[in-house]
């Protein structure tokens, strides 16, 4: 190693000296370092460069003859010893600058001052040594020799850095990790080199080490400055972000004050603007808009009703039967809104929803009759959210529509009143809310009821499913009416909102259908059920253990319900025949002159078997028709049945007859196509991967987990409206679905009753055998034919 360094020592010195000089020049262009610290570091790099430069000259001219060699040997050796002391002095200045900026103690500065004075003394001693030869001397042959006091010249370069390190170590927490590491290297590497050099005569290890650590100090300092600049920039951005948030809060407070004024003007709008703003922002987020656009949507939605200030109170109080003159006032709202908001120039999007919120996607709106993309995107989003809030009945104190009817409205008006993209997102939101509601339904069930008059209090419906459900509760007579009849009972019904209804409007809106009422003594009233029978149970244990305990066990098999009702006195088995298999059934707990407490519900995995329920009415089938290539299926509820898998090949056409069941009432009660793969060619089978679910009314529920789907739907000129669509399905209609296969793509094309559906499925999981199955919701699929069509 020594020989290698000795061989290339002059080249190493030149390279390091040049590098140090370049570092010094680069420091002149550094802008992010404090001025004093920059110049100290600049001088340290210059001194280090010259130190090695003169050390190199000393080796070059050693032993050479001539005046020039005579001068250069003496000058270079003098500069080496002198600059070595200056390196310690310069580093001392650098540390002093750092600790003074950090506000350290006077004792610390005294230590550093001591090192500084010692460095100056050392430089003076080097000058004196030129006349006395204490540190070194040059012989007549122009060769360098160590003097008798040579080791004294190591006191400052060794002891000085150790004193400096005591300061650094004491206050190391005040320095960054990188600066601390550079200090350790700067101090100890030259000391180690000095110890080695004592025994390695002829090598300039100390000076090489000092230059190397000077370079490292530059690099670590530069990195630290960059990090500080990044932190400063980040802090500045945080301040700017906080200021931005503060401005947003101020803007929102101003807007909320304006919303309060709107609600004072029209009390029916109480809470409407804020709900619409929140929902509009959610739609924007789900459509992939960035935070800034989502905020713009939110603010615009807050003021979308500001035009009410131009409408007389007498008109605002009327919901229907507006005169021609009054309608003119309503249609002026967007114009008035724009005039009110026009002074807000820094937020131009705020007026978009108020100005264009009454435009329809198909161009039939007002005031400008804009169409499609001509309508600002913000206005299209807010229109969807505003319509939803109105349909839920919270605006204008109206009666809330069932979610199913609201959903159908958005599906029907997609592309007409509403932008199809945002209407589709609204449908997804409704579906998510319905799923969340269903999951939390039992958690929110009542646990107690107070029943005075018969049926004046009925629990929310507990769904009867294939899995056995057990309901337990306690029932106590009402002490205030101890002489009157007192008993619990149940109501069997179906309803969109799982609640029993009395008034005609709610019965119609929620499609309420009551099957009957049953008491625990075996009495019953059959209304809309096809048949109902009650009999004493044959259970070996008669009834519950206590007089106040009641138990209901319920399950269904196809279109029949089996309900076992236990009380203290008896067990009653009830069989109920529903109108057909598509009907759902709920149990509502009620009673008369009693208090019902501690209602609990438990579900079990156990299901009824065929022989467990005696049929009391014939099976209702809507598929007793011609059967072709594929077996007919009756789909009583959402995807409750599927055809077998049909291998999709290029040119495949599926033709089939569709008839919606009598219980069907929505446009999505129609055929669906499922694209999938499974080893046994069955939906939900072994190794099942679902690629697409396409509803032939123009909806899609593609999850894109195993495939990418590109879906489009269009209403053709032959489309006569959704009511006619439903009537045609009810009467029976012929459908066709065509397939095209291109490598990993499956292209579906369906044109039925004026609805054109196209979907391209790109398979991601590598399967090449893709299957199609037909399913739907409350429909009968018959005469299913697999045909070959040429494209």
């Amino acid at each position: 190693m020594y020989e290698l360094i000795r061989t290339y020592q002059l080249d190493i010195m030149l390279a390091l000296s040049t590098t140090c000089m370049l570092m010094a020049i680069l420091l002149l262009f550094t802008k992010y370092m404090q001025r004093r610290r920059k110049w100290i570091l600049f001088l340290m790099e210059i001194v280090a460069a010259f130190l090695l430069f003169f050390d190199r000259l000393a080796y070059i001219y050693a032993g050479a003859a001539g005046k020039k060699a005579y001068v250069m040997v003496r000058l270079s050796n003098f500069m080496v010893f002198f600059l070595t002391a200056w390196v310690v002095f310069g580093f001392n200045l650098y540390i002093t600058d750092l600790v003074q900026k950090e506000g350290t103690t006077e004792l610390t500065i005294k230590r550093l001052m001591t090192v500084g004075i010692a460095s100056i003394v050392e430089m003076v001693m080097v000058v004196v040594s030129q006349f006395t030869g204490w540190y070194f001397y040059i012989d007549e042959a122009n060769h360098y020799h160590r003097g008798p006091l040579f080791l004294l010249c190591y006191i400052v370069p060794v002891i000085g850095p150790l004193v400096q390190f005591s300061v650094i170590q004491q206050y190391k927490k005040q320095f960054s990790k990188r600066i601390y590491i550079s200090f350790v290297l700067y101090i100890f590497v030259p000391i180690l080199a000095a110890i080695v050099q004592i025994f390695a005569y002829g090598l300039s290890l100390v000076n090489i080490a000092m230059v190397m650590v000077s370079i490292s100090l530059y690099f670590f300092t530069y990195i630290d400055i960059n990090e500080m600049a990044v932190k400063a920039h980040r802090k500045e951005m945080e301040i700017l972000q906080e200021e931005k948030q503060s401005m947003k809060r101020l803007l929102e407070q101003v807007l909320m004050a304006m919303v309060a004024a709107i609600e004072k003007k029209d009390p029916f709008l109480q809470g409407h603007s804020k709900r619409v703003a929140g929902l509009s922002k959610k739609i924007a987020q789900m459509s992939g808009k960035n935070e800034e656009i989502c905020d713009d949507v939110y603010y615009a939605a807050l003021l979308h009703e500001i035009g009410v200030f131009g409408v007389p109170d007498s008109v605002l109080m009327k919901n229907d039967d507006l005169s021609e003159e009054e309608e003119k006032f309503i249609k002026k709202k967007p114009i008035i809104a724009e005039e009110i908001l026009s002074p807000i120039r820094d937020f131009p999007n705020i007026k978009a929803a108020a100005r264009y919120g009454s435009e329809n996607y198909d161009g039939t709106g007002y005031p400008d009759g804009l169409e499609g993309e001509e309508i600002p995107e913000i206005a299209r989003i807010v229109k969807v959210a505003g319509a939803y809030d109105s349909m839920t009945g919270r605006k204008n104190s109206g009666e809330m529509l069932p979610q199913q009817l609201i959903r159908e409205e958005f599906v029907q008006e997609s592309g007409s009143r509403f932008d199809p993209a945002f209407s589709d997102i609204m449908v997804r939101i409704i579906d998510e809310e319905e799923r969340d509601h269903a999951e939390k339904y039992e958690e929110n069930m009542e646990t107690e009821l107070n029943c005075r008059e018969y049926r004046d209090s009925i629990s929310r419906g507990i769904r009867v499913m294939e899995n056995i459900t057990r309901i337990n509760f306690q029932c106590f007579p009402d002490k205030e009416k101890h002489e009157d009849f007192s008993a619990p009972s149940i109501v069997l019904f179906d309803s969109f909102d799982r609640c029993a209804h009395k008034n005609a409007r709610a019965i119609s809106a929620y499609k309420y259908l009551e099957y009957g009422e049953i008491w625990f003594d075996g009495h019953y009233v059959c209304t809309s059920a096809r048949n109902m029978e009650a009999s004493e149970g044959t259970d070996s244990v008669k009834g519950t253990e206590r007089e106040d305990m009641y138990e209901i066990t319920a399950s269904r098999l196809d279109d029949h319900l089996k309900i076992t009702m236990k009380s203290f006195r008896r067990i009653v088995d009830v069989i109920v025949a529903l109108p057909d298999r598509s009907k759902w059934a709920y149990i509502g707990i009620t009673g008369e002159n009693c208090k019902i407490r501690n209602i609990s519900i438990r579900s079990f995995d156990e299901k009824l078997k065929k022989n467990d329920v005696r049929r009391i009415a014939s099976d209702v089938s809507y598929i007793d028709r011609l059967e072709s290539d594929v077996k007919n299926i009756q789909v009583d509820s959402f995807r409750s049945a599927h055809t077998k898998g049909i291998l999709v090949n290029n040119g495949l056409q599926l033709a089939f007859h569709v008839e919606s069941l009598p219980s069907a009432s929505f446009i999505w009660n129609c055929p669906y196509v499922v694209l999938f793969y499974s080893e046994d060619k069955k939906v939900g089978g072994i190794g099942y991967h679902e690629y697409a679910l396409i509803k032939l009314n123009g909806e899609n529920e593609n999850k894109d987990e195993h495939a990418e789907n590109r879906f489009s739907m269009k209403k053709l000129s032959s489309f006569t409206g959704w009511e006619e669509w439903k009537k045609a399905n009810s009467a029976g209609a012929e459908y066709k679905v065509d397939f095209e296969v291109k490598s990993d793509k499956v292209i579906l094309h369906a044109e039925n009753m004026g609805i054109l559906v196209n979907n391209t499925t790109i398979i991601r999981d590598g399967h090449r055998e893709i299957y199609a199955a037909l399913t739907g919701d409350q429909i009968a699929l018959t005469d299913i034919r697999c045909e070959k069509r040429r494209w």
Side-chain angles (χ1 to χ4, degrees):
M1 184 67 179
Y2 292 149
E3 290 303 319
L4 181 66
I5 296 174
R6 193 185 304 277
T7 304
Y8 295 101
Q9 182 170 241
L10 295 180
D11 294 331
I12 294 170
M13 287 177 171
L14 180 61
L16 291 175
S17 179
T18 305
T19 302
C20 253
M21 192 63 71
L22 289 173
M23 297 298 175
I25 294 171
L26 289 174
L27 274 168
L28 296 175
F29 299 97
T30 302
K31 295 182 179 180
Y32 297 105
M33 190 183 295
Q34 295 174 8
R35 182 179 176 85
R36 173 180 166 82
R37 193 171 302 170
K38 180 172 76 172
W39 284 108
I40 293 173
L41 192 58
F42 172 78
L43 290 174
M44 288 175 68
E45 297 296 330
I46 290 290
V47 168
F50 277 112
L51 171 64
L52 214 53
F53 174 75
F54 283 110
D55 199 10
R56 184 172 181 272
L57 291 178
Y59 279 96
I60 292 173
Y61 289 102
K67 287 185 178 181
K68 184 179 179 181
Y70 180 87
V71 173
M72 293 305 299
V73 167
R74 284 157 179 79
L75 176 63
S76 58
N77 279 285
F78 166 75
M79 292 300 295
V80 168
F81 278 82
F82 186 85
L83 293 178
T84 300
W86 207 102
V87 166
V88 177
F89 181 75
F91 187 52
N92 201 68
L93 291 175
Y94 189 75
I95 298 173
T96 302
D97 182 70
L98 282 176
V99 296
Q100 284 179 339
K101 295 298 181 185
E102 298 297 329
T104 53
T105 64
E106 185 179 351
L107 179 61
T108 300
I109 296 175
K110 283 183 177 180
R111 272 186 282 169
L112 294 176
M113 285 177 64
T114 302
V115 173
I117 293 169
S119 300
I120 294 171
V121 170
E122 173 69 11
M123 286 184 270
V124 172
M125 287 292 292
V126 172
V127 174
V128 173
S129 179
Q130 300 307 299
F131 304 100
T132 61
W134 289 345
Y135 287 170
F136 68 92
Y137 63 92
I138 308 298
D139 64 14
E140 294 176 355
N142 224 17
H143 286 287
Y144 162 86
H145 296 279
R146 291 176 178 177
L149 301 179
F150 172 77
L151 292 178
L152 290 178
C153 71
Y154 277 85
I155 294 176
V156 169
V158 174
I159 304 301
L162 292 176
V163 174
Q164 291 167 342
F165 181 70
S166 71
V167 176
I168 294 168
Q169 189 65 21
Q170 185 176 353
Y171 297 99
K172 61 182 290 187
K173 293 182 179 179
Q174 296 179 359
F175 307 119
S176 69
K177 187 175 180 180
R178 290 187 181 90
I179 293 296
Y180 178 77
I181 292 172
S182 70
F183 285 169
V184 172
L185 292 175
Y186 198 92
I187 290 169
F188 290 104
V189 170
I191 291 174
L192 292 174
I195 295 171
V196 174
Q197 186 164 319
I198 294 173
F199 306 99
Y201 188 79
L203 293 180
S204 189
L205 296 179
V206 174
N207 294 337
I208 290 174
M210 293 179 78
V211 173
M212 290 178 66
V213 293
S214 294
I215 293 171
S216 72
L217 180 64
Y218 170 86
F219 276 112
F220 279 110
T221 302
Y222 197 83
I223 293 170
D224 193 61
I225 289 170
N226 282 343
E227 186 173 297
M228 290 173 63
V230 169
K231 287 181 179 179
H233 177 70
R234 189 182 298 123
K235 184 66 176 177
E236 184 179 352
M237 292 304 297
E238 288 175 358
I239 293 170
L240 289 174
Q241 192 65 26
E242 180 58 33
E243 289 177 354
K244 185 179 179 181
Q245 291 299 323
S246 180
M247 288 295 293
K248 282 185 177 181
R249 287 193 293 269
L250 178 61
L251 175 63
E252 186 168 353
Q253 289 168 9
V254 172
L255 295 182
M256 289 307 298
M258 298 173 76
V259 168
I262 293 170
E263 293 175 354
K264 286 285 185 182
K265 172 72 175 176
D266 185 358
F268 289 146
L269 293 176
Q270 192 74 32
H272 170 71
S273 296
K274 195 163 185 179
R275 291 193 299 269
V276 172
L279 182 55
S280 297
K281 187 172 184 177
K282 184 175 182 178
I283 294 172
Q285 289 169 336
M286 290 180 66
S287 66
K289 307 301 178 189
N290 61 40
E291 184 180 356
E292 186 176 351
I293 293 176
C294 290
D295 287 340
D296 285 348
V297 170
Y298 178 80
Y299 297 140
L302 283 175
L303 298 183
H304 78 285
E305 292 282 5
I306 200 168
V308 298
F309 286 116
V311 181
D313 293 346
S314 58
V315 178
L316 290 174
M317 294 300 112
K318 295 175 69 174
N319 289 330
D320 301 307
D321 301 325
L322 295 177
S323 67
E324 188 175 336
E325 192 67 26
E326 289 169 336
E327 284 185 359
K328 288 181 180 179
F329 279 116
I330 295 297
K331 290 187 176 182
K332 284 181 181 178
K333 275 176 61 178
I335 309 298
I336 296 166
E338 185 179 37
E339 291 174 356
I340 294 172
L341 297 175
S342 58
I344 307 177
R345 294 186 179 87
D346 289 340
F347 297 92
N349 290 326
I350 279 183
K351 62 183 178 184
R355 176 66 174 80
Y356 302 103
S358 297
E359 301 286 359
N360 291 332
Y361 194 78
D362 60 3
T364 60
Y366 63 89
D368 302 318
L370 300 182
E371 182 178 356
E373 303 294 321
E374 295 174 351
I375 306 167
E377 188 175 54
I378 288 178
R380 285 180 269 141
I381 293 173
V382 175
K383 185 176 183 71
V384 169
Y388 177 80
D389 195 70
S390 297
M391 283 188 272
T392 55
R394 289 176 284 187
K395 180 186 175 185
N396 296 334
S397 298
E399 191 169 308
M400 181 177 176
L401 290 175
Q403 288 290 86
Q404 291 90 334
L405 294 181
I406 296 173
R407 186 187 192 279
E408 183 172 58
E409 181 74 8
F410 281 107
V411 175
Q412 286 182 340
E413 296 298 330
S414 176
S416 299
R417 284 175 60 198
F418 308 122
D419 182 315
F422 302 128
S423 178
D424 180 60
I425 291 173
M426 190 67 247
V427 169
R428 282 160 49 197
I429 291 173
I430 292 171
D431 290 343
E432 287 173 6
E433 288 181 348
E434 280 295 286
R435 284 192 291 269
D436 291 343
H437 177 72
E439 291 174 2
K440 297 176 181 177
Y441 185 80
E442 287 190 8
E443 296 176 11
N444 299 325
M445 277 290 298
E446 305 96 327
T447 57
E448 56 183 53
L449 299 168
N450 292 319
C451 306
R452 293 182 177 271
E453 300 297 326
Y454 178 57
R455 293 185 59 161
D456 67 351
S457 182
I458 304 175
S459 74
R460 280 176 287 182
I462 303 162
R463 188 181 170 192
V464 182
M465 298 182 292
E466 292 182 350
N467 289 46
I468 292 175
T469 300
R470 183 161 296 152
I471 307 164
N472 295 90
F473 61 88
Q474 291 177 276
C475 183
F476 306 96
D478 189 341
K479 294 180 180 180
E480 295 180 7
K481 297 188 176 183
H482 62 276
E483 295 181 357
D484 295 333
F485 175 77
S486 173
S489 60
I490 63 172
V491 180
L492 292 176
F493 65 90
D494 188 12
S495 175
F496 286 160
D497 64 348
R498 299 188 175 191
C499 294
H501 295 283
K502 297 178 182 178
N503 70 74
R505 187 173 178 179
I507 288 172
S508 174
Y510 292 98
K511 303 293 182 184
Y512 179 73
L513 181 65
E514 189 168 304
Y515 303 128
E517 304 159 274
I518 310 171
W519 284 262
F520 281 81
D521 62 1
H523 286 83
Y524 64 86
V525 175
C526 182
T527 48
S528 296
R530 285 189 292 150
N531 196 5
M532 188 179 293
E533 290 184 3
S535 59
E536 285 282 338
T538 57
D539 201 310
S540 58
V541 179
K542 290 292 182 181
T544 57
E545 297 178 357
R546 284 167 35 187
E547 191 170 354
D548 60 346
M549 299 294 294
Y550 292 82
E551 181 181 285
I552 302 167
T553 303
S555 185
R556 74 176 289 167
L557 182 66
D558 298 331
D559 58 352
H560 276 49
L561 308 181
K562 182 180 180 182
I563 302 173
T564 300
M565 303 174 66
K566 287 186 180 183
S567 61
F568 182 65
R569 296 181 178 86
R570 58 170 58 88
I571 296 175
V572 174
D573 290 324
V574 182
I575 299 176
V576 181
L578 301 176
D580 58 49
R581 284 182 291 180
S582 67
K583 296 296 183 185
W584 287 19
Y586 297 95
I587 293 174
I589 303 170
T590 186
E592 183 177 0
N593 298 322
C594 61
K595 296 181 178 180
I596 296 172
R597 299 289 184 267
N598 301 320
I599 301 172
S600 65
I601 305 164
R602 291 178 63 196
S603 294
F604 299 88
D605 294 333
E606 187 180 352
K607 297 181 181 180
L608 294 174
K609 299 175 183 177
K610 284 289 184 183
N611 297 330
D612 291 341
V613 182
R614 180 173 55 86
R615 294 198 65 87
I616 59 174
S618 60
D619 188 22
V620 179
S621 175
Y622 299 98
I623 57 175
D624 292 332
R625 291 175 53 87
L626 177 67
E627 195 165 84
S628 297
D629 299 327
V630 179
K631 187 177 179 181
N632 297 343
I633 62 168
Q634 181 172 315
V635 190
D636 296 304
S637 58
F638 178 72
R639 295 186 65 175
S640 62
H642 299 79
T643 65
K644 69 175 185 179
I646 303 159
L647 181 64
V648 177
N649 48 50
N650 196 40
L652 172 68
Q653 182 183 77
L654 296 180
F656 48 93
H657 182 82
V658 176
E659 183 177 336
S660 57
L661 304 185
S663 57
S665 56
F666 299 111
I667 61 175
W668 56 82
N669 297 139
C670 66
Y672 307 162
V673 179
V674 182
L675 294 179
F676 71 97
Y677 167 82
S678 69
E679 295 176 18
D680 55 5
K681 306 177 185 180
K682 295 179 181 179
V683 172
I686 301 169
Y688 183 72
H689 282 187
E690 184 165 305
Y691 304 119
L693 173 62
I694 301 116
K695 301 180 180 180
L696 297 187
N697 67 321
E699 292 184 72
N700 81 90
E701 293 191 8
N702 299 324
K703 297 179 181 178
D704 292 349
E705 183 179 356
H706 303 291
E708 177 186 347
N709 285 279
R710 299 168 186 170
F711 179 87
S712 67
M713 172 268 201
K714 185 178 180 181
K715 297 174 185 174
L716 304 177
S717 57
S718 57
F719 180 68
T720 55
W722 288 111
E723 288 305 316
E724 292 300 318
W725 159 277
K726 289 192 284 189
K727 287 179 182 178
N729 281 330
S730 180
E734 293 295 323
Y735 276 71
K736 290 182 180 179
V737 180
D738 297 306
F739 295 90
E740 183 180 359
V741 178
K742 293 182 178 179
S743 184
D744 60 348
K745 296 179 182 178
V746 177
I747 302 169
L748 177 147
H749 174 88
E751 182 181 328
N752 298 288
M753 295 184 291
I755 297 296
L756 175 63
V757 173
N758 287 300
N759 188 77
T760 300
T761 303
I762 304 172
I763 309 300
R764 288 175 174 167
D765 60 9
H767 289 300
R768 288 293 178 263
E769 290 186 349
I770 309 303
Y771 299 95
L774 297 178
T775 183
D777 189 356
Q778 298 191 39
I779 56 165
L781 300 175
T782 57
D783 191 19
I784 304 170
R785 306 175 300 282
C786 304
E787 301 173 355
K788 186 75 174 179
R789 176 182 174 178
R790 292 184 180 179
W791 288 88

